[in-house]
Amino acid sequence: MIEGGGSGLDAVEQGIRVTESDPGNPSVGLAGIQNAAGIVQLDACIMSGPGHRAGAVGAVSGYRHPISIARRVMETTRHVFLVGEGAEAFAKKHGFEEGPKVTPGQKAAWKKWKAAQAAEEAKAAKAGKPINHDTIALVALMPDGNLFGGCSTSGWGYKIPGRVGDSPIIGSGLYVDNEVGAAGATGIGENVMRYCGSFLVVEYMRQGLHPQEACIETIRRIARMDPKGYDLAINFVAI
Ligand code: ASP
């Protein structure tokens, strides 16, 4: 889209929609792993460097492209973040594409998980890890120097209904500062959102660190502060 002269916002949105549409991706979009109640709840946000604008949605089910709903929140409301039923009503009003609240494949997996829940929970709790998770965080630097970013996820598999991770939280799963840079996060959201991870990456770049170093320094800092030590399972991308 960028090579074709499209806007950076379009490029970020369309790039993320590719992943949201992937039926083989268990961590982004409606093919994602459901929550503990058997429903896929999606989180997403988008940011435009120009104007320092942002939009986000959290815990949205039944819509294929949370990134596009987030963009619409940014572009048509005075708010930044809509969640749950309110976000779904907003999506309905704006005619966004609906989809199943869970795919048949994931539903079958959920039934199995439910049956084995006690054993799995004990195992996961012991390891201190979620059973499955991932995200797409996408940042773009345009030829004119403007920055854009987006982030989208189905979150932590089998999470407690209503749980929202770092991905739609501005400054945690994504941050864009048009004067400095953009950063996004994947991994266990609880280990990113307690530290405003993406904001921190951008702030390190503001201090002069190379993007790679800014990501590493952020992880070092979180690791230093984390009482659980180094098993953080977090990742950053920055430009
Ligand atoms: N950051 C996402 C969340 O916590 C999941 C992930 O990227 O693994 O919801």
Side-chain angles (χ1 to χ4, degrees):
M1 289 211 71
I2 293 171
E3 282 176 357
S7 81
L9 215 47
D10 289 341
V12 165
E13 181 188 0
Q14 292 305 322
I16 288 177
R17 281 175 69 107
V18 171
T19 308
E20 288 179 341
S21 303
D22 180 356
N25 191 318
S27 56
V28 177
L30 287 179
I33 298 174
Q34 63 259 269
N35 63 18
I39 302 284
V40 182
Q41 286 189 322
L42 303 176
D43 302 331
C45 73
I46 195 162
M47 255 192 112
S48 161
H52 205 64
R53 293 179 300 144
V57 290
V60 170
S61 60
Y63 286 88
R64 291 191 189 278
H65 294 296
I67 192 70
S68 299
I69 308 171
R71 179 174 178 177
R72 194 66 62 88
V73 171
M74 177 176 85
E75 291 183 329
T76 67
T77 79
R78 295 179 63 193
H79 306 309
V80 169
F81 199 2
L82 299 183
V83 301
E85 283 176 9
E88 288 159 15
F90 176 84
K92 193 164 196 68
K93 187 175 154 203
H94 286 261
F96 282 98
E97 195 186 343
E98 296 187 40
K101 288 183 184 230
V102 64
T103 61
Q106 289 291 4
K107 191 77 191 169
W110 180 78
K111 282 189 178 145
K112 262 175 95 176
W113 170 80
K114 195 75 184 157
Q117 190 182 9
E120 284 289 341
E121 273 183 359
K123 211 170 102 191
K126 205 171 161 199
K129 286 177 182 166
I131 295 158
N132 212 332
H133 62 94
D134 210 352
T135 293
I136 175 168
L138 193 158
V139 289
L141 172 61
M142 298 296 286
D144 62 5
N146 283 320
L147 289 157
F148 300 88
C151 189
S152 182
T153 192
S154 54
W156 181 330
Y158 306 112
K159 61 195 172 187
I160 294 174
R163 177 268 189 187
V164 172
D166 62 319
S167 305
I169 310 280
I170 301 301
S172 289
L174 179 77
Y175 195 65
V176 178
D177 184 321
N178 221 33
E179 286 185 356
V180 177
T186 69
I188 299 175
E190 283 72 4
N191 288 342
V192 174
M193 63 203 295
R194 286 180 294 134
Y195 303 92
C196 301
S198 294
F199 179 77
L200 194 53
V201 172
V202 171
E203 289 307 297
Y204 278 134
M205 291 194 286
R206 189 190 305 280
Q207 291 169 23
L209 265 61
H210 181 276
Q212 177 80 21
E213 267 307 311
C215 293
I216 292 171
E217 195 46 43
T218 298
I219 290 175
R220 278 201 196 107
R221 176 148 152 194
I222 294 173
R224 271 199 305 275
M225 290 175 72
D226 195 88
K228 287 186 180 156
Y230 289 91
D231 191 15
L232 299 172
I234 56 171
N235 320 272
F236 291 97
V237 59
I239 193 166

